Amino acid sequence: MPYRSIAFVASRAPSAQEALTVLGARHGNVPQHLADVIVALGGDGFMLQTLHETQNIGAPVYGMNRGTVGFLMNAYGDDDLLARLDNAEQEVINPLVMNALAVDGSMHEALAINEVSLLRAGAQAAKLRITVDGRVRMPELVCDGALVATPAGSTAYNYSAHGPILPIGSGVLALTAMAAFRPRRWRGALLPKSAVVRFDVLDATKRPVMADADGQSVRNVVSVEIRSEPDICHRILFDPGHGLEERLLREQFV
């Protein structure tokens, strides 16, 4: 479809702000709720922020890289934007929902497009019990942390933790451990997208753990439940031949 009403958003990086000025002057810059498409100028972190902030608007997001990392972004160019938007291919991804219970009894909910991670917050390793769909699968995992990643996020923190890269349409989540001590070198598991994963923190006072969903952190958690949210759909636009499926494949042959 033709995208003519564009809302531009940009990170604070000087290059992103310069691009915002140039593109806004050339194409106009409408309020987000009136836009056919949102163009995000920055890096992957800013793209995630934009997707979270605009999830209730309905307009797709087209990113152009003006940051240091650009896995979710297209190459920057200021002379053929309308043609690129008209020819763009759409990917639809669903986020994870994190429900975290803290030591003080407070509940915290957050969405994550990439991953939900649990990390030790003290000098000692974390002790976690892992339950999948109501069944205890690992009574005790001693580790620096663990995470659940979506296919879109599988090349981020998950990959750095030696987790698998997941095809975008695989219907699979990655459960990956960081520096597992017991079971020794346990790397994790592949789970169906419909799975509900629960982490219980064992000895939370002596071995504190924090939970994080795309940068939204909760300290001193005692349990965290994670599931995919199919009712929330993030629409991301990519230049032809440069979509997530191609990028995920390319990452495996570097």
Side-chain angles (χ1 to χ4, degrees), residues 163-213:
I165 294 178
L166 306 176
I168 195 65
S170 62
V172 171
L173 303 175
L175 195 169
T176 300
M178 286 88 85
F181 177 72
R182 190 168 60 245
R184 180 74 74 177
R185 296 183 179 178
W186 184 74
R187 292 288 179 84
L190 295 177
L191 304 174
K193 186 177 179 179
S194 60
V196 178
V197 182
R198 178 185 172 97
F199 294 97
D200 287 288
V201 179
L202 308 178
D203 203 357
T205 301
K206 182 180 179 182
R207 300 169 183 268
V209 170
M210 65 172 287
D212 184 276

Side-chain angles (χ1 to χ4, degrees), residues 115 147 149 153-166 174-176:
E115 76 279 320
L147 61 82
S154 64
T155 60
Y157 194 6
N158 172 71
Y159 192 43
S160 296
H162 305 289
I165 294 178
L166 306 176
L175 195 169
T176 300

Side-chain angles (χ1 to χ4, degrees), residues 16-50:
Q17 289 295 313
E18 179 182 353
L20 176 64
T21 300
V22 171
L23 293 170
R26 182 170 299 173
H27 301 285
N29 192 358
V30 305
Q32 292 181 11
H33 68 281
L34 298 178
D36 297 325
V37 63
I38 295 166
V39 174
L41 306 165
D44 278 350
F46 184 72
M47 183 62 162
L48 291 176
Q49 175 185 326
T50 301

Side-chain angles (χ1 to χ4, degrees), residues 92-96 133 148-151 166 168-174 190-197 226-233:
V92 178
I93 59 176
N94 306 115
L96 300 171
D133 292 333
V148 176
T150 66
L166 306 176
I168 195 65
S170 62
V172 171
L173 303 175
L190 295 177
L191 304 174
K193 186 177 179 179
S194 60
V196 178
V197 182
I226 304 161
R227 59 180 174 82
S228 181
E229 179 47 85
D231 292 335
I232 299 177
C233 297

Side-chain angles (χ1 to χ4, degrees), residues 219-235:
R219 300 191 68 82
N220 298 318
V221 297
V222 294
S223 68
V224 177
E225 187 174 277
I226 304 161
R227 59 180 174 82
S228 181
E229 179 47 85
D231 292 335
I232 299 177
C233 297
H234 296 288
R235 300 161 59 203

